């Protein structure tokens, strides 16, 4: 059974749609096995997105991720990583398929509502980053 890391980003938390997003996870058969609401420090956000450090959008990305509370969860289920990416839709909401979380709740490529691990190995690292206690 597979796990993935999900973050409901500050824009979606501010829009009051945590419940609607959770319902999509549950209806797709993804189980929430750990969850925490928190406001990320710059250090936490930079560490989490370290792979993007050299990209031009890195500072904007970090600024956005620390701009308000986020809801972080570990999801578990069959093919959790891919299933969750499918539910999320494309990074740029203008390109996201109808019915995906980003098509329905995201405003821009910066404020794009959700994060999801992009591979099983990345998921392991990301889950350990936020939920070191999770067995
Ligand atoms: P996330 O990692 O947040 O789930 P993603 O995997 O779909 O998103 P990544 O390529 O990992 O996309 O980029 C991380 C985040 O950086 C994106 O969610 C987006 O907000 C921002 N980003 C990515 N590409 C661009 C870009 N070309 N211009 C501006 N921001 C971008
Ligand atoms: Mg990514």
């Amino acid at each position: 059974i597979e796990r993935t890391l999900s973050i409901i980003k500050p824009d979606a938390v501010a829009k009051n749609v945590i419940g609607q997003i959770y319902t999509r996870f549950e209806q797709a058969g993804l189980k929430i096995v750990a969850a925490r609401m928190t406001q990320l420090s710059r250090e936490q956000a930079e560490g989490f997105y370290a792979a993007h450090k050299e990209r031009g959008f890195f500072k904007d990305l970090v600024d956005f991720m620390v701009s308000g509370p986020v809801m972080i969860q570990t999801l578990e289920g069959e093919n959790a990583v891919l299933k969750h990416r499918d539910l999320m839709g494309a990074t740029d909401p203008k390109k996201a398929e109808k019915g995906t979380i980003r098509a329905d709740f995201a405003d821009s490529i910066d404020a794009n509502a959700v994060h999801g691990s992009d591979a099983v190995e990345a998921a392991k690292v990301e889950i350990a980053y936020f939920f070191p206690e999770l067995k």
Side-chain angles (χ1 to χ4, degrees), residues 46-62:
E46 287 172 359
F48 183 72
Y49 278 119
H52 295 304
K53 208 167 50 206
E54 308 302 332
R55 310 286 294 273
F57 58 79
F58 184 69
K59 187 180 175 296
D60 285 345
L61 175 60
V62 171

Side-chain angles (χ1 to χ4, degrees), residues 9 48-49 52 55 57 60-61 64-65 85 88-92 102 108-112 114-118 126:
K9 296 184 179 183
F48 183 72
Y49 278 119
H52 295 304
R55 310 286 294 273
F57 58 79
D60 285 345
L61 175 60
F64 172 65
M65 290 301 289
R85 294 290 295 195
M88 289 165 56
T91 308
D92 182 351
R102 282 168 167 164
S108 68
I109 194 166
D110 301 294
N112 64 358
V114 282
H115 161 82
S117 311
D118 60 11
E126 293 179 2

Side-chain angles (χ1 to χ4, degrees), residues 44-131:
Q44 277 179 310
E46 287 172 359
F48 183 72
Y49 278 119
H52 295 304
K53 208 167 50 206
E54 308 302 332
R55 310 286 294 273
F57 58 79
F58 184 69
K59 187 180 175 296
D60 285 345
L61 175 60
V62 171
D63 285 345
F64 172 65
M65 290 301 289
V66 305
S67 67
V70 294
M71 190 75 196
I72 311 176
Q73 41 283 322
T74 296
L75 306 178
E76 184 178 277
E78 220 170 285
N79 279 317
V81 171
L82 260 179
K83 192 179 271 185
H84 180 229
R85 294 290 295 195
D86 286 346
L87 292 175
M88 289 165 56
T91 308
D92 182 351
K94 289 199 297 286
K95 296 178 185 155
E97 259 184 80
K98 223 177 138 216
T100 61
I101 293 167
R102 282 168 167 164
D104 291 345
F105 301 120
D107 296 320
S108 68
I109 194 166
D110 301 294
N112 64 358
V114 282
H115 161 82
S117 311
D118 60 11
V120 173
E121 278 314 303
K124 287 180 183 156
V125 174
E126 293 179 2
I127 290 167
Y129 190 79
F130 285 121
F131 300 104

